[in-house]
PDB file of all heavy atoms in Angstrom:
ATOM      1  N   ASP A 205     -34.484  91.481  93.163  1.00  0.00           N
ATOM      2  CA  ASP A 205     -35.913  90.972  93.045  1.00  0.00           C
ATOM      3  C   ASP A 205     -36.549  90.673  94.432  1.00  0.00           C
ATOM      4  O   ASP A 205     -37.605  90.121  94.382  1.00  0.00           O
ATOM      5  CB  ASP A 205     -36.120  89.779  92.083  1.00  0.00           C
ATOM      6  CG  ASP A 205     -35.459  90.230  90.745  1.00  0.00           C
ATOM      7  OD1 ASP A 205     -36.001  91.129  90.129  1.00  0.00           O
ATOM      8  OD2 ASP A 205     -34.634  89.359  90.339  1.00  0.00           O
ATOM      9  N   ARG A 208     -40.040  91.793  94.914  1.00  0.00           N
ATOM     10  CA  ARG A 208     -41.103  91.082  94.314  1.00  0.00           C
ATOM     11  C   ARG A 208     -41.254  89.737  94.848  1.00  0.00           C
ATOM     12  O   ARG A 208     -41.950  88.823  94.239  1.00  0.00           O
ATOM     13  CB  ARG A 208     -40.956  91.131  92.742  1.00  0.00           C
ATOM     14  CG  ARG A 208     -40.794  92.536  92.359  1.00  0.00           C
ATOM     15  CD  ARG A 208     -40.537  92.578  90.819  1.00  0.00           C
ATOM     16  NE  ARG A 208     -41.542  92.098  89.976  1.00  0.00           N
ATOM     17  CZ  ARG A 208     -41.646  92.285  88.648  1.00  0.00           C
ATOM     18  NH1 ARG A 208     -40.817  92.993  88.111  1.00  0.00           N
ATOM     19  NH2 ARG A 208     -42.728  91.879  88.041  1.00  0.00           N
ATOM     20  N   GLN A 213     -44.420  81.587  96.709  1.00  0.00           N
ATOM     21  CA  GLN A 213     -43.574  81.473  95.443  1.00  0.00           C
ATOM     22  C   GLN A 213     -42.451  82.419  95.643  1.00  0.00           C
ATOM     23  O   GLN A 213     -42.323  83.428  94.903  1.00  0.00           O
ATOM     24  CB  GLN A 213     -44.436  81.871  94.239  1.00  0.00           C
ATOM     25  CG  GLN A 213     -45.514  81.058  93.932  1.00  0.00           C
ATOM     26  CD  GLN A 213     -46.468  81.539  92.850  1.00  0.00           C
ATOM     27  OE1 GLN A 213     -47.058  82.566  93.060  1.00  0.00           O
ATOM     28  NE2 GLN A 213     -46.375  80.997  91.633  1.00  0.00           N
ATOM     29  N   ASN A 215     -38.820  84.339  95.483  1.00  0.00           N
ATOM     30  CA  ASN A 215     -37.873  84.510  94.426  1.00  0.00           C
ATOM     31  C   ASN A 215     -36.432  84.241  95.038  1.00  0.00           C
ATOM     32  O   ASN A 215     -36.167  84.822  96.078  1.00  0.00           O
ATOM     33  CB  ASN A 215     -37.979  85.930  93.898  1.00  0.00           C
ATOM     34  CG  ASN A 215     -37.088  86.263  92.688  1.00  0.00           C
ATOM     35  OD1 ASN A 215     -35.944  85.975  92.725  1.00  0.00           O
ATOM     36  ND2 ASN A 215     -37.713  86.910  91.741  1.00  0.00           N
ATOM     37  N   GLU A 216     -35.682  83.472  94.390  1.00  0.00           N
ATOM     38  CA  GLU A 216     -34.388  82.984  95.003  1.00  0.00           C
ATOM     39  C   GLU A 216     -33.214  83.954  94.852  1.00  0.00           C
ATOM     40  O   GLU A 216     -32.151  83.694  95.307  1.00  0.00           O
ATOM     41  CB  GLU A 216     -34.068  81.542  94.334  1.00  0.00           C
ATOM     42  CG  GLU A 216     -34.936  80.502  94.818  1.00  0.00           C
ATOM     43  CD  GLU A 216     -34.631  79.118  94.285  1.00  0.00           C
ATOM     44  OE1 GLU A 216     -33.587  79.093  93.409  1.00  0.00           O
ATOM     45  OE2 GLU A 216     -35.228  78.119  94.545  1.00  0.00           O
ATOM     46  N   ASN A 217     -33.406  84.885  94.019  1.00  0.00           N
ATOM     47  CA  ASN A 217     -32.330  85.680  93.586  1.00  0.00           C
ATOM     48  C   ASN A 217     -31.365  86.197  94.739  1.00  0.00           C
ATOM     49  O   ASN A 217     -30.245  85.966  94.828  1.00  0.00           O
ATOM     50  CB  ASN A 217     -32.667  86.802  92.608  1.00  0.00           C
ATOM     51  CG  ASN A 217     -31.729  87.300  91.653  1.00  0.00           C
ATOM     52  OD1 ASN A 217     -30.628  86.809  91.649  1.00  0.00           O
ATOM     53  ND2 ASN A 217     -31.975  88.396  90.806  1.00  0.00           N
ATOM     54  N   GLU A 224     -23.700  83.295  97.970  1.00  0.00           N
ATOM     55  CA  GLU A 224     -22.594  82.971  97.101  1.00  0.00           C
ATOM     56  C   GLU A 224     -21.686  84.121  96.974  1.00  0.00           C
ATOM     57  O   GLU A 224     -20.476  83.960  97.084  1.00  0.00           O
ATOM     58  CB  GLU A 224     -23.131  82.693  95.699  1.00  0.00           C
ATOM     59  CG  GLU A 224     -22.091  82.437  94.638  1.00  0.00           C
ATOM     60  CD  GLU A 224     -22.577  82.151  93.285  1.00  0.00           C
ATOM     61  OE1 GLU A 224     -23.715  81.780  93.190  1.00  0.00           O
ATOM     62  OE2 GLU A 224     -21.759  82.287  92.334  1.00  0.00           O
ATOM     63  N   GLU A 230     -19.230  80.307  96.952  1.00  0.00           N
ATOM     64  CA  GLU A 230     -20.010  79.230  96.302  1.00  0.00           C
ATOM     65  C   GLU A 230     -19.599  77.828  96.824  1.00  0.00           C
ATOM     66  O   GLU A 230     -18.542  77.626  97.187  1.00  0.00           O
ATOM     67  CB  GLU A 230     -19.627  79.256  94.783  1.00  0.00           C
ATOM     68  CG  GLU A 230     -20.658  78.536  93.870  1.00  0.00           C
ATOM     69  CD  GLU A 230     -20.421  77.059  93.738  1.00  0.00           C
ATOM     70  OE1 GLU A 230     -19.156  76.678  93.656  1.00  0.00           O
ATOM     71  OE2 GLU A 230     -21.268  76.285  93.809  1.00  0.00           O
ATOM     72  N   ASP A 308      -3.645  91.454  94.549  1.00  0.00           N
ATOM     73  CA  ASP A 308      -4.619  90.720  93.625  1.00  0.00           C
ATOM     74  C   ASP A 308      -4.652  89.211  93.793  1.00  0.00           C
ATOM     75  O   ASP A 308      -5.578  88.507  93.527  1.00  0.00           O
ATOM     76  CB  ASP A 308      -4.252  91.100  92.174  1.00  0.00           C
ATOM     77  CG  ASP A 308      -4.544  92.544  91.840  1.00  0.00           C
ATOM     78  OD1 ASP A 308      -5.306  93.179  92.525  1.00  0.00           O
ATOM     79  OD2 ASP A 308      -3.926  93.013  90.875  1.00  0.00           O
ATOM     80  N   PRO A 345       7.133  92.641 100.993  1.00  0.00           N
ATOM     81  CA  PRO A 345       7.640  93.043  99.639  1.00  0.00           C
ATOM     82  C   PRO A 345       6.695  92.534  98.498  1.00  0.00           C
ATOM     83  O   PRO A 345       6.584  93.284  97.355  1.00  0.00           O
ATOM     84  CB  PRO A 345       9.018  92.289  99.563  1.00  0.00           C
ATOM     85  CG  PRO A 345       9.343  91.978 100.968  1.00  0.00           C
ATOM     86  CD  PRO A 345       8.089  91.861 101.768  1.00  0.00           C
ATOM     87  N   ARG A 349       3.326  97.533  95.232  1.00  0.00           N
ATOM     88  CA  ARG A 349       3.055  97.742  93.820  1.00  0.00           C
ATOM     89  C   ARG A 349       2.565  96.440  93.166  1.00  0.00           C
ATOM     90  O   ARG A 349       2.819  96.184  92.066  1.00  0.00           O
ATOM     91  CB  ARG A 349       4.345  98.136  93.090  1.00  0.00           C
ATOM     92  CG  ARG A 349       5.037  99.263  93.756  1.00  0.00           C
ATOM     93  CD  ARG A 349       4.595 100.542  93.283  1.00  0.00           C
ATOM     94  NE  ARG A 349       5.530 101.708  93.632  1.00  0.00           N
ATOM     95  CZ  ARG A 349       5.227 102.898  93.512  1.00  0.00           C
ATOM     96  NH1 ARG A 349       4.080 103.317  92.878  1.00  0.00           N
ATOM     97  NH2 ARG A 349       5.985 103.877  93.896  1.00  0.00           N
ATOM     98  N   ALA A 350       1.866  95.673  93.932  1.00  0.00           N
ATOM     99  CA  ALA A 350       1.364  94.330  93.440  1.00  0.00           C
ATOM    100  C   ALA A 350      -0.013  94.414  92.972  1.00  0.00           C
ATOM    101  O   ALA A 350      -0.531  93.387  92.351  1.00  0.00           O
ATOM    102  CB  ALA A 350       1.455  93.215  94.567  1.00  0.00           C
ATOM    103  N   ARG A 381     -15.754 102.931  79.367  1.00  0.00           N
ATOM    104  CA  ARG A 381     -15.020 102.301  78.370  1.00  0.00           C
ATOM    105  C   ARG A 381     -13.927 101.471  79.010  1.00  0.00           C
ATOM    106  O   ARG A 381     -13.391 100.433  78.412  1.00  0.00           O
ATOM    107  CB  ARG A 381     -14.523 103.171  77.250  1.00  0.00           C
ATOM    108  CG  ARG A 381     -15.529 103.765  76.453  1.00  0.00           C
ATOM    109  CD  ARG A 381     -15.069 105.000  75.608  1.00  0.00           C
ATOM    110  NE  ARG A 381     -14.272 104.575  74.547  1.00  0.00           N
ATOM    111  CZ  ARG A 381     -13.646 105.341  73.754  1.00  0.00           C
ATOM    112  NH1 ARG A 381     -13.601 106.620  74.131  1.00  0.00           N
ATOM    113  NH2 ARG A 381     -12.957 104.882  72.808  1.00  0.00           N
ATOM    114  N   ARG A 393     -21.681  90.127  90.815  1.00  0.00           N
ATOM    115  CA  ARG A 393     -20.427  89.827  91.325  1.00  0.00           C
ATOM    116  C   ARG A 393     -19.624  91.108  91.582  1.00  0.00           C
ATOM    117  O   ARG A 393     -18.519  91.072  92.243  1.00  0.00           O
ATOM    118  CB  ARG A 393     -19.754  88.796  90.509  1.00  0.00           C
ATOM    119  CG  ARG A 393     -18.367  88.346  91.077  1.00  0.00           C
ATOM    120  CD  ARG A 393     -17.844  87.118  90.485  1.00  0.00           C
ATOM    121  NE  ARG A 393     -17.748  87.269  89.071  1.00  0.00           N
ATOM    122  CZ  ARG A 393     -17.133  86.421  88.238  1.00  0.00           C
ATOM    123  NH1 ARG A 393     -16.495  85.430  88.741  1.00  0.00           N
ATOM    124  NH2 ARG A 393     -17.128  86.525  86.956  1.00  0.00           N
ATOM    125  N   ARG A 399      -6.038  91.445  86.989  1.00  0.00           N
ATOM    126  CA  ARG A 399      -5.625  91.556  85.575  1.00  0.00           C
ATOM    127  C   ARG A 399      -6.817  91.753  84.666  1.00  0.00           C
ATOM    128  O   ARG A 399      -6.606  92.069  83.481  1.00  0.00           O
ATOM    129  CB  ARG A 399      -4.803  90.319  85.296  1.00  0.00           C
ATOM    130  CG  ARG A 399      -3.479  90.305  85.905  1.00  0.00           C
ATOM    131  CD  ARG A 399      -2.658  89.237  85.466  1.00  0.00           C
ATOM    132  NE  ARG A 399      -1.349  89.228  86.205  1.00  0.00           N
ATOM    133  CZ  ARG A 399      -0.404  88.538  85.944  1.00  0.00           C
ATOM    134  NH1 ARG A 399      -0.353  87.602  84.950  1.00  0.00           N
ATOM    135  NH2 ARG A 399       0.740  88.601  86.652  1.00  0.00           N
ATOM    136  N   ASN A 412      -3.665 106.824  76.233  1.00  0.00           N
ATOM    137  CA  ASN A 412      -3.934 107.900  75.504  1.00  0.00           C
ATOM    138  C   ASN A 412      -4.716 108.954  76.439  1.00  0.00           C
ATOM    139  O   ASN A 412      -4.519 110.144  76.189  1.00  0.00           O
ATOM    140  CB  ASN A 412      -4.965 107.501  74.411  1.00  0.00           C
ATOM    141  CG  ASN A 412      -4.215 106.559  73.290  1.00  0.00           C
ATOM    142  OD1 ASN A 412      -3.000 106.500  73.308  1.00  0.00           O
ATOM    143  ND2 ASN A 412      -4.988 105.893  72.560  1.00  0.00           N
ATOM    144  N   GLY A 461      17.014 103.843  84.797  1.00  0.00           N
ATOM    145  CA  GLY A 461      16.631 103.883  83.401  1.00  0.00           C
ATOM    146  C   GLY A 461      15.899 105.107  82.960  1.00  0.00           C
ATOM    147  O   GLY A 461      16.011 105.779  82.036  1.00  0.00           O
ATOM    148  N   LYS A 487       2.253 107.199  81.175  1.00  0.00           N
ATOM    149  CA  LYS A 487       1.858 106.057  80.240  1.00  0.00           C
ATOM    150  C   LYS A 487       2.554 104.800  80.459  1.00  0.00           C
ATOM    151  O   LYS A 487       2.192 103.866  79.722  1.00  0.00           O
ATOM    152  CB  LYS A 487       2.304 106.604  78.836  1.00  0.00           C
ATOM    153  CG  LYS A 487       1.463 107.727  78.182  1.00  0.00           C
ATOM    154  CD  LYS A 487       1.661 107.708  76.691  1.00  0.00           C
ATOM    155  CE  LYS A 487       2.938 108.083  76.204  1.00  0.00           C
ATOM    156  NZ  LYS A 487       3.042 108.300  74.761  1.00  0.00           N
ATOM    157  N   ARG A 490       4.250 100.769  84.802  1.00  0.00           N
ATOM    158  CA  ARG A 490       4.406 101.042  86.240  1.00  0.00           C
ATOM    159  C   ARG A 490       3.229 101.907  86.756  1.00  0.00           C
ATOM    160  O   ARG A 490       2.672 101.693  87.876  1.00  0.00           O
ATOM    161  CB  ARG A 490       5.771 101.739  86.458  1.00  0.00           C
ATOM    162  CG  ARG A 490       5.821 102.642  87.689  1.00  0.00           C
ATOM    163  CD  ARG A 490       5.937 101.778  89.047  1.00  0.00           C
ATOM    164  NE  ARG A 490       7.155 101.050  88.980  1.00  0.00           N
ATOM    165  CZ  ARG A 490       7.245  99.872  89.511  1.00  0.00           C
ATOM    166  NH1 ARG A 490       6.192  99.286  89.977  1.00  0.00           N
ATOM    167  NH2 ARG A 490       8.384  99.297  89.530  1.00  0.00           N
ATOM    168  N   LEU A 493       0.200 100.362  88.238  1.00  0.00           N
ATOM    169  CA  LEU A 493       0.316  99.550  89.442  1.00  0.00           C
ATOM    170  C   LEU A 493       0.206 100.456  90.676  1.00  0.00           C
ATOM    171  O   LEU A 493       0.635 101.514  90.738  1.00  0.00           O
ATOM    172  CB  LEU A 493       1.519  98.761  89.400  1.00  0.00           C
ATOM    173  CG  LEU A 493       1.708  97.651  88.470  1.00  0.00           C
ATOM    174  CD1 LEU A 493       3.127  97.032  88.428  1.00  0.00           C
ATOM    175  CD2 LEU A 493       0.756  96.669  88.651  1.00  0.00           C
TER     176      LEU A 493
ATOM    177  N   ASN B 137     -24.735  72.967  88.618  1.00  0.00           N
ATOM    178  CA  ASN B 137     -24.464  74.044  89.558  1.00  0.00           C
ATOM    179  C   ASN B 137     -25.369  75.322  89.064  1.00  0.00           C
ATOM    180  O   ASN B 137     -25.299  75.690  87.936  1.00  0.00           O
ATOM    181  CB  ASN B 137     -23.001  74.447  89.649  1.00  0.00           C
ATOM    182  CG  ASN B 137     -22.691  75.279  90.788  1.00  0.00           C
ATOM    183  OD1 ASN B 137     -23.207  76.422  90.889  1.00  0.00           O
ATOM    184  ND2 ASN B 137     -21.867  74.850  91.651  1.00  0.00           N
ATOM    185  N   SER B 139     -25.039  78.441  90.339  1.00  0.00           N
ATOM    186  CA  SER B 139     -24.398  79.710  90.390  1.00  0.00           C
ATOM    187  C   SER B 139     -23.977  80.198  89.035  1.00  0.00           C
ATOM    188  O   SER B 139     -23.411  79.476  88.260  1.00  0.00           O
ATOM    189  CB  SER B 139     -23.127  79.601  91.387  1.00  0.00           C
ATOM    190  OG  SER B 139     -22.168  80.517  90.947  1.00  0.00           O
ATOM    191  N   PHE B 141     -21.619  82.157  88.157  1.00  0.00           N
ATOM    192  CA  PHE B 141     -20.219  82.196  88.018  1.00  0.00           C
ATOM    193  C   PHE B 141     -19.617  80.837  87.966  1.00  0.00           C
ATOM    194  O   PHE B 141     -18.758  80.566  87.132  1.00  0.00           O
ATOM    195  CB  PHE B 141     -19.593  83.115  89.004  1.00  0.00           C
ATOM    196  CG  PHE B 141     -20.367  84.452  89.081  1.00  0.00           C
ATOM    197  CD1 PHE B 141     -21.293  84.723  90.045  1.00  0.00           C
ATOM    198  CD2 PHE B 141     -20.216  85.356  87.952  1.00  0.00           C
ATOM    199  CE1 PHE B 141     -22.041  85.937  89.955  1.00  0.00           C
ATOM    200  CE2 PHE B 141     -21.007  86.546  87.941  1.00  0.00           C
ATOM    201  CZ  PHE B 141     -21.856  86.781  88.914  1.00  0.00           C
ATOM    202  N   GLU B 204     -11.467 101.718  69.737  1.00  0.00           N
ATOM    203  CA  GLU B 204     -10.585 101.885  70.938  1.00  0.00           C
ATOM    204  C   GLU B 204      -9.101 101.338  70.720  1.00  0.00           C
ATOM    205  O   GLU B 204      -8.356 101.623  71.303  1.00  0.00           O
ATOM    206  CB  GLU B 204     -11.117 101.141  72.175  1.00  0.00           C
ATOM    207  CG  GLU B 204     -12.390 101.887  72.752  1.00  0.00           C
ATOM    208  CD  GLU B 204     -13.146 101.041  73.740  1.00  0.00           C
ATOM    209  OE1 GLU B 204     -12.599  99.834  74.099  1.00  0.00           O
ATOM    210  OE2 GLU B 204     -14.134 101.471  74.229  1.00  0.00           O
ATOM    211  N   THR B 206      -6.817 102.089  68.992  1.00  0.00           N
ATOM    212  CA  THR B 206      -6.035 102.994  68.199  1.00  0.00           C
ATOM    213  C   THR B 206      -4.819 103.509  69.054  1.00  0.00           C
ATOM    214  O   THR B 206      -5.078 104.087  70.078  1.00  0.00           O
ATOM    215  CB  THR B 206      -6.874 104.223  67.884  1.00  0.00           C
ATOM    216  OG1 THR B 206      -8.001 103.707  67.262  1.00  0.00           O
ATOM    217  CG2 THR B 206      -6.112 105.092  66.848  1.00  0.00           C
ATOM    218  N   ASP B 210       2.854 107.955  69.155  1.00  0.00           N
ATOM    219  CA  ASP B 210       4.120 108.151  69.945  1.00  0.00           C
ATOM    220  C   ASP B 210       4.695 106.772  70.386  1.00  0.00           C
ATOM    221  O   ASP B 210       4.069 106.171  71.311  1.00  0.00           O
ATOM    222  CB  ASP B 210       3.932 108.997  71.140  1.00  0.00           C
ATOM    223  CG  ASP B 210       5.154 109.219  71.943  1.00  0.00           C
ATOM    224  OD1 ASP B 210       6.068 108.752  71.583  1.00  0.00           O
ATOM    225  OD2 ASP B 210       4.958 109.881  72.947  1.00  0.00           O
ATOM    226  N   PRO B 217      12.425 102.153  79.874  1.00  0.00           N
ATOM    227  CA  PRO B 217      13.516 101.334  80.378  1.00  0.00           C
ATOM    228  C   PRO B 217      13.027 100.284  81.379  1.00  0.00           C
ATOM    229  O   PRO B 217      13.952  99.842  82.193  1.00  0.00           O
ATOM    230  CB  PRO B 217      14.570 102.291  80.952  1.00  0.00           C
ATOM    231  CG  PRO B 217      13.647 103.293  81.500  1.00  0.00           C
ATOM    232  CD  PRO B 217      12.505 103.491  80.651  1.00  0.00           C
ATOM    233  N   MET B 218      11.864  99.829  81.325  1.00  0.00           N
ATOM    234  CA  MET B 218      11.523  98.851  82.297  1.00  0.00           C
ATOM    235  C   MET B 218      11.954  97.537  81.837  1.00  0.00           C
ATOM    236  O   MET B 218      11.420  96.452  82.301  1.00  0.00           O
ATOM    237  CB  MET B 218       9.929  98.753  82.547  1.00  0.00           C
ATOM    238  CG  MET B 218       9.459  99.913  83.333  1.00  0.00           C
ATOM    239  SD  MET B 218       8.125  99.311  84.243  1.00  0.00           S
ATOM    240  CE  MET B 218       7.224 100.880  84.439  1.00  0.00           C
ATOM    241  N   ILE B 223      10.418  94.527  89.708  1.00  0.00           N
ATOM    242  CA  ILE B 223      10.148  95.145  90.960  1.00  0.00           C
ATOM    243  C   ILE B 223      10.726  94.301  92.175  1.00  0.00           C
ATOM    244  O   ILE B 223      10.807  94.718  93.259  1.00  0.00           O
ATOM    245  CB  ILE B 223       8.670  95.517  91.176  1.00  0.00           C
ATOM    246  CG1 ILE B 223       8.356  96.265  92.456  1.00  0.00           C
ATOM    247  CG2 ILE B 223       7.959  94.141  91.181  1.00  0.00           C
ATOM    248  CD1 ILE B 223       7.127  96.905  92.441  1.00  0.00           C
ATOM    249  N   ILE B 226      13.001  95.702  94.590  1.00  0.00           N
ATOM    250  CA  ILE B 226      12.583  96.353  95.837  1.00  0.00           C
ATOM    251  C   ILE B 226      12.345  95.294  96.971  1.00  0.00           C
ATOM    252  O   ILE B 226      12.539  95.468  98.113  1.00  0.00           O
ATOM    253  CB  ILE B 226      11.323  97.245  95.733  1.00  0.00           C
ATOM    254  CG1 ILE B 226      11.278  98.426  96.586  1.00  0.00           C
ATOM    255  CG2 ILE B 226      10.122  96.459  95.882  1.00  0.00           C
ATOM    256  CD1 ILE B 226      10.135  99.273  96.454  1.00  0.00           C
ATOM    257  N   SER B 227      11.795  94.189  96.431  1.00  0.00           N
ATOM    258  CA  SER B 227      11.250  93.219  97.412  1.00  0.00           C
ATOM    259  C   SER B 227      12.328  92.234  97.811  1.00  0.00           C
ATOM    260  O   SER B 227      12.311  91.733  98.965  1.00  0.00           O
ATOM    261  CB  SER B 227      10.097  92.431  96.843  1.00  0.00           C
ATOM    262  OG  SER B 227      10.616  91.711  95.763  1.00  0.00           O
ATOM    263  N   SER B 237       5.552  89.675  88.179  1.00  0.00           N
ATOM    264  CA  SER B 237       4.731  89.148  87.107  1.00  0.00           C
ATOM    265  C   SER B 237       3.691  90.189  86.607  1.00  0.00           C
ATOM    266  O   SER B 237       3.304  90.146  85.489  1.00  0.00           O
ATOM    267  CB  SER B 237       4.134  87.768  87.411  1.00  0.00           C
ATOM    268  OG  SER B 237       3.352  87.885  88.596  1.00  0.00           O
ATOM    269  N   GLN B 238       3.250  90.986  87.523  1.00  0.00           N
ATOM    270  CA  GLN B 238       2.268  92.031  87.164  1.00  0.00           C
ATOM    271  C   GLN B 238       2.993  92.883  86.066  1.00  0.00           C
ATOM    272  O   GLN B 238       2.408  93.322  85.045  1.00  0.00           O
ATOM    273  CB  GLN B 238       1.854  92.911  88.243  1.00  0.00           C
ATOM    274  CG  GLN B 238       1.107  92.254  89.443  1.00  0.00           C
ATOM    275  CD  GLN B 238      -0.330  91.977  89.092  1.00  0.00           C
ATOM    276  OE1 GLN B 238      -0.618  91.413  88.033  1.00  0.00           O
ATOM    277  NE2 GLN B 238      -1.175  92.268  90.050  1.00  0.00           N
ATOM    278  N   GLU B 239       4.233  93.244  86.303  1.00  0.00           N
ATOM    279  CA  GLU B 239       5.024  94.066  85.414  1.00  0.00           C
ATOM    280  C   GLU B 239       5.133  93.443  84.074  1.00  0.00           C
ATOM    281  O   GLU B 239       4.832  93.998  82.968  1.00  0.00           O
ATOM    282  CB  GLU B 239       6.437  94.256  85.989  1.00  0.00           C
ATOM    283  CG  GLU B 239       6.460  95.142  87.039  1.00  0.00           C
ATOM    284  CD  GLU B 239       6.469  96.661  86.655  1.00  0.00           C
ATOM    285  OE1 GLU B 239       7.524  96.981  86.074  1.00  0.00           O
ATOM    286  OE2 GLU B 239       5.498  97.342  86.781  1.00  0.00           O
ATOM    287  N   HIS B 304     -35.200  86.947  86.696  1.00  0.00           N
ATOM    288  CA  HIS B 304     -35.880  86.482  87.807  1.00  0.00           C
ATOM    289  C   HIS B 304     -37.248  87.091  88.028  1.00  0.00           C
ATOM    290  O   HIS B 304     -37.974  86.570  88.776  1.00  0.00           O
ATOM    291  CB  HIS B 304     -35.077  86.829  89.074  1.00  0.00           C
ATOM    292  CG  HIS B 304     -33.891  85.936  89.346  1.00  0.00           C
ATOM    293  ND1 HIS B 304     -33.966  84.711  89.967  1.00  0.00           N
ATOM    294  CD2 HIS B 304     -32.620  86.128  88.992  1.00  0.00           C
ATOM    295  CE1 HIS B 304     -32.793  84.139  90.004  1.00  0.00           C
ATOM    296  NE2 HIS B 304     -31.907  84.959  89.488  1.00  0.00           N
ATOM    297  N   ALA B 305     -37.580  88.200  87.388  1.00  0.00           N
ATOM    298  CA  ALA B 305     -38.724  88.931  87.717  1.00  0.00           C
ATOM    299  C   ALA B 305     -39.280  89.630  86.375  1.00  0.00           C
ATOM    300  O   ALA B 305     -38.328  90.104  85.615  1.00  0.00           O
ATOM    301  CB  ALA B 305     -38.678  89.919  88.790  1.00  0.00           C
ATOM    302  N   ARG B 349     -35.510  77.508  85.826  1.00  0.00           N
ATOM    303  CA  ARG B 349     -36.471  76.648  86.493  1.00  0.00           C
ATOM    304  C   ARG B 349     -37.772  76.423  85.647  1.00  0.00           C
ATOM    305  O   ARG B 349     -38.282  77.479  84.982  1.00  0.00           O
ATOM    306  CB  ARG B 349     -36.826  77.227  87.889  1.00  0.00           C
ATOM    307  CG  ARG B 349     -37.639  76.361  88.766  1.00  0.00           C
ATOM    308  CD  ARG B 349     -36.817  75.238  89.465  1.00  0.00           C
ATOM    309  NE  ARG B 349     -35.457  75.740  89.806  1.00  0.00           N
ATOM    310  CZ  ARG B 349     -35.074  76.304  91.038  1.00  0.00           C
ATOM    311  NH1 ARG B 349     -36.012  76.650  91.887  1.00  0.00           N
ATOM    312  NH2 ARG B 349     -33.793  76.637  91.205  1.00  0.00           N
ATOM    313  N   GLY B 354     -43.134  83.601  91.830  1.00  0.00           N
ATOM    314  CA  GLY B 354     -44.230  84.500  92.018  1.00  0.00           C
ATOM    315  C   GLY B 354     -44.041  85.917  91.515  1.00  0.00           C
ATOM    316  O   GLY B 354     -44.993  86.746  91.662  1.00  0.00           O
ATOM    317  N   SER B 355     -42.915  86.194  90.991  1.00  0.00           N
ATOM    318  CA  SER B 355     -42.694  87.546  90.480  1.00  0.00           C
ATOM    319  C   SER B 355     -42.650  87.552  88.963  1.00  0.00           C
ATOM    320  O   SER B 355     -41.860  88.335  88.329  1.00  0.00           O
ATOM    321  CB  SER B 355     -41.479  88.200  91.086  1.00  0.00           C
ATOM    322  OG  SER B 355     -40.530  87.224  91.584  1.00  0.00           O
TER     323      SER B 355
END
Side-chain angles (χ1 to χ4, degrees):
Chain A
D205 304 305
R208 303 176 67 163
Q213 292 171 293
N215 189 307
E216 292 179 358
N217 205 2
E224 178 180 340
E230 199 273 322
D308 291 338
R349 311 272 188 186
R381 295 166 71 193
R393 181 166 52 170
R399 293 190 178 182
N412 295 345
K487 285 203 298 185
R490 156 73 66 216
L493 291 175
Chain B
N137 192 299
S139 151
F141 307 103
E204 286 168 3
T206 311
D210 180 1
M218 280 215 210
I223 190 165
I226 208 180
S227 66
S237 58
Q238 298 281 50
E239 288 276 292
H304 282 278
R349 191 74 39 83
S355 23

